[in-house]
């Protein structure tokens, strides 16, 4: 394997010394970039882009050509696993992801095959291998998946939801069925992320987009516990290096202490949490990733720079911080505003690593 | 004034001893009730219902006929003030509230007249007076308003929003304009709630539905501070009794200590916060209101009862708890499931008040 030229992302996740705070952006390959929109049009559809390894590789590389990001992230969707299980993922304009055949009975849960995350998702593995080759050691490659709870919400609701009425009704009324579903999804995610690592991913992130919609108790029972189970099954090394795991529960700021115990190397924070207070709460148990409000990128470059400065100062001195947004970048952001953020991290963060 | 026959809601808000935990439900007059849907149809439109004091009174009373609620809440909308200011509130099916003329320039902010919250909203005051008369001292009447920040988001976005891009861009790029808007709204809300109290409201709640979309720092600057300013201006007594103020920031669980300092008598909690942990954090500074996940009402009655028991046990012994949902009741809930919740609170809570 080619030697990794920039490993500060991996080092910060493991709380090893770095020269400056590393950074990347959730959804860094995305609609805010004109070159992304051009490739997306060429692909014909969002799923066409995801399932074409060459085009997925191309959009993965695009933000790295513009910005000094310290990591690349596989271009894909969090919902590939349910799609591989036969639910029929599609994207309708303005409505986000939807499934043609949502789960509607215990028999359908029982029939789900966790192995399909590896037997049916070769296109993801091909993209991982191709991106890793294309990166040529420039920066590490992040693999990812949705969390079991997050996948379950889409599989049961058939798409996005405001109140998750069907999913929660199942969880509360038929917990055994919900746990069977989550167990299968955890097995599937573990297989899927392990395969991504085997094909070249050097870190993995579990996106728990909807864990924050649960109560404190239900979060532990239906989301955190299954992420912990996944982490226990992941390969901890590849190419002789540890493969760090990042867990990101949007809206999970109240539960940081519990999340920090799940076995992940790093915890993603959304912007509602003060990162300095979060660091005090988790101590040296995990690294922290985040956490600028994505809407801050609608501000002017001076304001963006001040916000970056505040986040770096709040985290304070020493390693263990990966700069990121607190959620995916919003379509409509001016790409030059991203430059302001990146420049600020590069210029201001070395002072915290002397 | 007629003597209040059931004052345990007011007593619990002031942390005075009660015989059992009082309860009410946010949006307790609403679409889940067939009698509400009938009156709503009679009114022709949602705003037709809000602006007709007799019909607003009728739907306010409906849940009290079914359930042993310890408070009534004025039937109205959180967006009456911007409507009174001339923005043109309307409701489009499936899209929620919208404004015909959203705010789009500093000149429009400068032109807003805070006094219109009292000069243009006589229909609200008539409804308050009529409901108070109709209640005849059975239970106290809660008045309410949206918070300045929450009103501002709708006024700038023109409706609901996922990322509040326009509102946040204004807050970050032109903070002076945003503060002018929030100052005017705070003045307006203070006038509006004071008038509701003058017409008969015995407690008031400020709904900060979207405060939780802000960062920890921006929440203090753009939302909490203006709620504090409102509270400072409210009459603290009416009919010789203190008029308690409840502040409810959905998604504010991380900021409880700060919220508890804003001058409110009680803080509303959504279901992501453990109410026992919240009590330990705020001590005897404020009472707490909440916090069952509204989706729990889709569960079976046994499960609902168990959840109520858990919340009561988590809060523990003594006064200072008003049982409620952690957000408004969801349309589609079976009204009998609400009975299960109410019965559980009535049967299980006296043990915590011996």
């Amino acid at each position: 394997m080619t030697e990794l030229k920039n490993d500060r992302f991996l080092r910060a996740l493991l709380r090893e010394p770095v020269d400056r705070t590393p950074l990347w952006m959730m959804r860094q390959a995305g609609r805010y970039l004109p070159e992304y929109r051009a490739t997306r049009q060429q692909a014909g559809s969002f799923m066409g882009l995801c399932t074409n390894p060459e085009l997925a590789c191309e959009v993965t590389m695009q933000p790295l050509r513009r910005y000094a990001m310290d990591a690349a992230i596989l271009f894909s969707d969090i919902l590939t696993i349910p799609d591989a299980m036969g639910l029929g993922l599609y994207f309708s304009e303005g409505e986000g992801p939807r499934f043609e055949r949502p789960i509607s009975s215990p028999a359908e849960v029982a029939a789900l095959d966790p192995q399909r995350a590896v037997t049916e998702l070769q296109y993801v593995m091909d993209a991982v291998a191709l991106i890793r080759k294309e990166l040529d050691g420039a920066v590490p490659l992040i693999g990812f998946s949705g969390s079991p709870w997050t996948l379950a919400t889409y599989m049961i609701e058939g798409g996005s939801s405001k109140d998750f009425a069907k999913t929660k009704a199942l969880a509360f009324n038929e917990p055994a069925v919900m746990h069977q579903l989550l167990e299968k999804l955890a097995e599937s995610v573990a297989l899927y992320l392990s395969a991504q690592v085997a094909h070249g991913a050097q870190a993995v992130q579990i996106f728990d987009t909807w864990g924050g919609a649960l109560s404190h108790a239900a979060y532990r029972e239906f989301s955190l516990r299954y992420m912990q189970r996944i982490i226990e099954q992941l390969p901890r090394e590849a190419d002789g290096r540890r493969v760090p795991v990042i867990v990101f529960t949007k809206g999970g700021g109240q539960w940081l202490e519990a999340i920090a115990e799940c076995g992940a190397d790093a915890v993603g924070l959304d912007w509602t949490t003060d990162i300095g207070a979060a660091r005090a709460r988790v101590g040296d148990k995990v690294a922290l990733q985040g956490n600028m409000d994505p809407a801050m990128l609608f501000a002017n470059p001076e304001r963006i720079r001040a916000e970056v400065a505040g986040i770096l100062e709040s985290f304070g001195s020493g390693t263990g911080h990966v700069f990121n947004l607190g959620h995916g970048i919003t379509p409509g952001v001016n790409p030059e505003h991203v430059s302001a953020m990146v420049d600020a991290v590069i210029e201001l963060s070395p002072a915290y690593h002397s």
Side-chain angles (χ1 to χ4, degrees), chain A:
Chain A
M1 276 290 182
T2 319
E3 200 193 343
L4 193 55
K5 298 171 190 97
N6 170 355
D7 67 353
R8 61 170 75 85
F9 168 70
L10 297 180
R11 294 180 62 85
L13 290 177
L14 301 174
R15 287 166 296 112
E16 296 168 1
V18 285
D19 58 336
R20 67 160 174 83
T21 305
L23 86 153
W24 67 285
M25 280 195 309
M26 290 187 276
R27 231 183 283 157
Q28 64 189 14
R31 274 190 283 166
Y32 74 105
L33 288 177
E35 57 269 35
Y36 169 87
R37 296 195 296 270
T39 310
R40 161 76 180 69
Q41 192 161 23
Q42 188 188 336
S45 70
F46 180 81
M47 281 311 286
L49 187 48
C50 290
T51 55
N52 181 319
E54 285 72 27
L55 296 182
C57 177
E58 165 59 19
V59 296
T60 299
M61 301 303 291
Q62 285 169 351
L64 304 181
R65 293 180 198 130
R66 276 186 186 254
Y67 312 114
M69 297 296 179
D70 295 296
I73 181 162
L74 164 69
F75 184 83
S76 188
D77 191 76
I78 59 166
L79 298 178
T80 46
I81 288 177
D83 186 51
M85 287 175 162
L87 274 67
L89 178 62
Y90 69 101
F91 289 79
S92 63
E93 207 56 57
E95 276 195 88
R98 299 202 57 81
F99 285 114
E100 286 167 24
R101 293 170 291 280
I103 292 283
S104 60
S105 73
E108 286 171 7
V109 171
L112 294 172
D113 177 7
Q115 298 288 333
R116 294 182 72 161
V118 280
T119 58
E120 304 295 314
L121 294 173
Q122 189 56 43
Y123 69 85
V124 174
M125 304 313 150
D126 291 344
V128 168
L130 187 60
I131 297 163
R132 178 71 187 270
K133 181 160 168 269
E134 186 76 12
L135 282 169
D136 195 29
V139 292
L141 174 60
I142 307 168
F144 74 93
S145 171
S147 73
W149 167 256
T150 295
L151 299 181
T153 65
Y154 287 99
M155 293 169 78
I156 296 168
E157 306 290 338
S160 300
S161 173
K162 230 172 75 170
D163 49 26
F164 305 102
K166 288 181 194 168
T167 314
K168 289 182 174 179
L170 181 67
F172 299 148
N173 285 324
E174 301 185 74
V177 175
M178 178 56 92
H179 283 300
Q180 187 189 17
L181 173 57
L182 293 169
E183 268 164 33
K184 286 189 170 210
L185 289 170
E187 185 186 344
S188 208
V189 172
L191 290 168
Y192 183 56
L193 291 177
S194 299
Q196 290 184 32
V197 171
H199 285 81
Q202 291 149 295
V204 295
Q205 176 158 328
I206 303 172
F207 284 84
D208 187 29
T209 312
W210 297 121
L214 288 164
S215 75
H216 49 97
Y219 172 70
R220 284 161 179 74
E221 178 178 355
F222 296 111
S223 184
L224 185 59
R225 147 180 183 184
Y226 291 96
M227 294 196 286
Q228 179 165 9
R229 196 170 296 187
I230 291 164
I231 294 168
E232 287 163 1
Q233 295 172 64
L234 293 181
R236 302 319 303 260
E237 284 207 357
D239 310 341
R241 279 190 91 125
R242 186 170 172 92
V243 180
V245 180
I246 309 160
V247 160
F248 174 53
T249 294
K250 185 161 181 290
Q254 294 179 90
W255 313 320
L256 281 186
E257 291 83 352
I259 300 173
E261 298 283 349
C262 80
D265 300 282
V267 174
L269 301 175
D270 68 33
W271 63 95
T272 62
T273 303
D274 179 280
I275 197 168
R279 188 184 190 184
R281 286 165 62 195
V282 302
D284 57 7
K285 190 141 262 168
V286 289
L288 294 173
Q289 177 175 280
N291 65 342
M292 192 171 88
D293 185 348
M296 186 55 71
L297 292 174
F298 293 111
N300 60 59
E302 294 69 30
R303 182 67 186 84
I304 293 169
R305 188 177 178 89
E307 190 73 9
V308 170
I311 291 168
L312 292 172
E313 190 189 354
S314 176
F315 185 86
S317 288
T319 187
H321 181 203
V322 172
F323 195 94
N324 205 317
L325 301 176
H327 194 43
I329 184 170
T330 317
V333 161
N334 179 341
E336 288 178 20
H337 288 206
V338 175
S339 299
M341 178 189 84
V342 172
D343 291 350
V345 173
I346 291 174
E347 289 164 33
L348 302 174
S349 74
Y352 296 97
H353 300 276
S354 53

